[in-house]
Amino acid sequence: MCIVMMRLNCSPMWSVVGLLTLLLLPLWEMGCSGLSFNSVPLPPVGTYQRSCEGGAHHRQRRSWVWNQFFVLEEYTGDEPLYVGKLHSDVDKGEGQVKYVLNGQGATSIFTIDENTGDIHATKRLDREEQAYYTLRAQARNRENNLPVEPESEFVIKVQDINDNEPKFLNGPYSARVPEMSPVGTSVVTVVATDADDPTYGNSARVIYSILEGQPYFSVEPKTGVVKTALPNMDREARDQYLLVIQAKDMVGQMGGLSGTTSVMVTLTDVNDNPPHFSRKSYQFSMSESLPVASVVAKIKTLDSDVGPNAEMEYRIVDGDGLGLFRITPDRDTQEGLITLQKGLDFETKSSYTLRVEVSNRNIDLRFLSLGPFSDTATVRLIVENVDEPPVFSLPLSKMLISEAAKVGTTIGTVSAHDPDSTNSPIRYSIDRNTDLERFFNIDATTGVISTAKPLDREVNAIHNITIFAMESCKCSYSALSCIILITVTDINDNAPVFAIEYETYLCESARPGQVIETISAMDRDEPQSGHRFFFSLTAEAAGNLNFTLRDNKDNTASVLTMRGGFQRHDQTMYRLPVLIMDGGSPALSSTNTLSIRVCDCDPDGAPQSCGSEASMLSAGLSTGALIAILACILTLLVLVLLIVTMRRRKKEPLILDEERDVRENIVRYDDEGGGEEDTEAFDMVALRNLKLVRESGGKTRRDVTPEVPSLFLSSRPPPDNGIFRDFIWDRLKEADVDASAPPYDSLQTYAFEGSGSAAESLSSLDSLSTDSEQNYDYLSDWGPRFKKLADLYGHSDDGNLLAS
């Protein structure tokens, strides 16, 4: 059996050369009786062979033979594209065999005529989407559907056509190349890809060319490497170039497809321009009062380069201010900054001349042939004179004065001078903020400092005062100050006293010779050799039989008992006068009394109870315990009284008898008018709910005061209160329906004046219509301001009223 597929090679000679197969094809068709081939072109060399019967060959039964079909992509015909034909030797043309196709694209893309085995493509194929399809062919008996041939797998390969243009997947490009680069310097490599089959024809063979960018740049046709094409391209003249690169397939031949991309080339800077000063000479002015490290001048330098290639270095190469000035570059602007290294003095030197040099910090050796990369200029600095304040010979002075010095004693002298050429006289003064109590004075012309008050070292041992020096003939009052430290030296003017306030306890069981206290002393004075204290009993206490004093020779003394058997009942307190003397010259002494209390002590000698207070305590209770008990009892009594008061208030009924008149009154003292008689109680009934008063029927409530004939209690006949009652009643009804009113009784001031007053008018304007014995002629003597009143009230000589 022999199965024939499209483009099968039945001759062994095809493996040698394909042309021989084309020549032998008619003979092959004659030798292989019963086999049919399609008329499509034969496949290339290397396909599988099959054996044929007839002629000199011995027919041998073989199974299905795998082979490969070819179909052209992008077929646009109206009819399905014929791919090939399948045929089995078993098929005798009687319709007993049917052909079945399975695999990729079977029935959807590829169809087979089950009777003839013809394969067609029903859709347009795109090799770039799928380059080949693997299918399986089978021949079956039409009656029982059993296979008559083993299943065989074959491939339908999509044959490429040039239907895809080259594309730059990484474009557009940007590249950088140094300026002044030699011709042929590589800039960037552009890559275009073509989706067509690179193994078939020239559809994917790309050639590069440059459309825009000549004559500055070129591109390698095969590699896509962009290179410089002109020498000495200057960044300072032009720093960017836009290139358009084209890629064309079919090796650039006519009919090929093309694609383009852009390349932005930026020229980077190199140090090919030397720096230079904008001028050859500069002149600046500076004040002599400028502090050290101040910038006195800025020099602008020009350099066409940028970045590190424009970084400058400055130095002073000559001049008369080499040690006085320094020049450094500004990090941001690369300007030359001339700074002051020492103080200026117009009186010493009024101008300086410097010669400065600038050069590039980073020099490219390739461009040294263009000339020296440095420049020089002359800078003249003029010092401006200012009115300088006086200068003290010593900014800080230390002086000593004894606290025993009398008022007016000279302590020391300060001195200052005018640094200006005028040498003006100086006036001195004390900053009183540093000498608030005015202990010192200073002579305004000589600078002599003296005491103005007695000094006390124990109150203030060091005085820190500030002295001002001012030019006396200047109106600007420019002044300088210095600090004077005045130390007050000590004299022995304070007697020694006890170091602390001692509380000495003596046990009843004390033995003779027992030390009951060790005392020490203190002295506000501070002798240079240190303190030395001497302790003794006063003459009056020296002969007592109870205690004695022992000086320990170390500025302390011990108090000892001379007997035993001390009893609190006999004496609870002893007072021992102690005389303390210092070692000063002259020596000072003082008498200090030591209080000794007799106590009941425990076996370890710790005092338990002292003095007569122990006999007052019963049952072993101390004073603190008794006070705590009394406080608890008092607290309980207060709580009981509060509870009783609250219960009584709860038991009292709200409705009271008429004879019990409970009132809530507001006493008003801010009324203008009537004086003390007008200070009357305001009845709260009108501000309560009047309906409650009316409904009580003679009974009064505790929270509502009984109704009274009038709102104001007065000795005068009461006016008609109907207007007030109606006014307040209306306001109460408004408050009852007010949602924002507080949920409790509150006082509201309505400020209703009423319609009239029971008192008569106090105005004297009514006197025009009545006879009056008052004489107002004196109003004419009060001047023009009272002319109107004089016209109203004054009388003429004939007794008639003056016209107004």
Side-chain angles (χ1 to χ4, degrees), residues 684 687-688 741-742 744-748 750:
M684 293 293 292
L687 297 181
R688 300 284 187 178
Y744 48 81
D745 291 343
S746 61
L747 176 63
Q748 300 189 25
Y750 297 109

Side-chain angles (χ1 to χ4, degrees), residues 252-274:
Q253 297 177 3
M254 186 72 68
L257 303 179
S258 64
T260 60
T261 187
S262 62
V263 181
M264 178 61 72
V265 180
T266 301
L267 297 184
T268 59
D269 186 63
V270 298
N271 192 8
D272 58 338
N273 293 278

Side-chain angles (χ1 to χ4, degrees), residues 31-32 52-58:
C32 295
C52 302
E53 294 182 357
H57 299 283
H58 183 268

Side-chain angles (χ1 to χ4, degrees), residues 656 659-664 700-702 704-706:
L656 303 177
E659 60 269 13
R660 296 184 63 185
D661 188 6
V662 180
R663 292 175 179 268
E664 295 177 5
T700 61
R701 288 179 51 134
R702 191 170 182 268
V704 179
T705 57

Side-chain angles (χ1 to χ4, degrees), residues 311-556:
E311 293 181 358
M312 308 294 179
E313 285 186 347
Y314 296 89
R315 66 189 185 99
I316 301 176
V317 297
D318 196 5
D320 52 4
L322 293 179
L324 190 61
F325 300 97
R326 179 187 178 190
I327 184 169
T328 56
D330 186 278
R331 291 184 178 181
D332 298 327
T333 63
Q334 296 300 316
E335 292 178 304
L337 306 180
I338 301 178
T339 56
L340 188 64
Q341 298 296 104
K342 298 179 181 179
L344 298 173
D345 187 5
F346 173 82
E347 288 72 25
T348 303
K349 190 173 179 60
S350 60
S351 66
Y352 297 88
T353 301
L354 307 175
R355 191 164 68 91
V356 297
E357 181 186 62
V358 61
S359 61
N360 279 136
R361 179 174 298 176
N362 305 305
I363 297 178
D364 195 332
L365 300 179
R366 296 176 301 169
F367 305 103
L368 286 179
S369 59
L370 299 178
F373 280 74
S374 63
D375 194 14
T376 59
T378 301
V379 180
R380 178 177 174 82
L381 302 174
I382 299 177
V383 182
E384 294 180 346
N385 187 28
V386 296
D387 184 15
E388 300 175 85
V391 178
F392 282 94
S393 56
L394 293 175
L396 176 63
S397 299
K398 297 181 179 180
M399 301 179 182
L400 298 176
I401 185 66
S402 174
E403 63 177 329
K406 296 181 180 180
V407 175
T409 302
T410 299
I411 303 174
T413 304
V414 295
S415 176
H417 68 280
D418 183 9
D420 296 323
S421 57
T422 56
N423 195 16
S424 302
I426 307 300
R427 294 185 61 85
Y428 303 93
S429 62
I430 297 177
D431 182 3
R432 290 306 176 183
N433 291 324
T434 61
D435 184 27
L436 296 176
E437 299 183 15
R438 296 180 177 269
F439 284 108
F440 307 98
N441 286 329
I442 188 171
D443 190 284
T445 57
T446 63
V448 175
I449 301 174
S450 59
T451 58
K453 286 184 179 180
L455 304 176
D456 188 354
R457 188 204 66 83
E458 287 71 36
V459 175
N460 194 352
I462 297 178
H463 295 267
N464 186 346
I465 64 174
T466 300
I467 305 297
F468 289 129
M470 184 182 305
E471 298 178 24
S472 58
C473 60
K474 298 291 184 181
C475 298
S476 60
Y477 297 102
S478 58
L480 197 68
S481 63
C482 73
I483 298 175
I484 307 296
L485 296 178
I486 301 176
T487 302
V488 181
T489 59
D490 186 46
I491 63 172
N492 191 23
D493 58 344
N494 291 277
V497 295
F498 279 152
I500 61 174
E501 185 177 352
Y502 292 96
E503 294 183 0
T504 305
Y505 300 97
L506 174 63
C507 294
E508 292 179 322
S509 59
R511 300 183 303 275
Q514 181 178 343
V515 177
I516 60 174
E517 188 68 83
T518 299
I519 59 176
S520 61
M522 61 167 291
D523 193 335
R524 296 179 63 189
D525 296 323
E526 291 185 0
Q528 295 181 355
S529 59
H531 287 292
R532 179 68 179 94
F533 299 119
F534 304 93
F535 299 88
S536 63
L537 295 178
T538 60
E540 295 81 2
N544 78 91
L545 302 178
N546 298 317
F547 307 98
T548 185
L549 187 69
R550 182 181 65 200
D551 194 336
N552 297 326
K553 308 300 182 181
D554 60 353
N555 290 341
T556 65

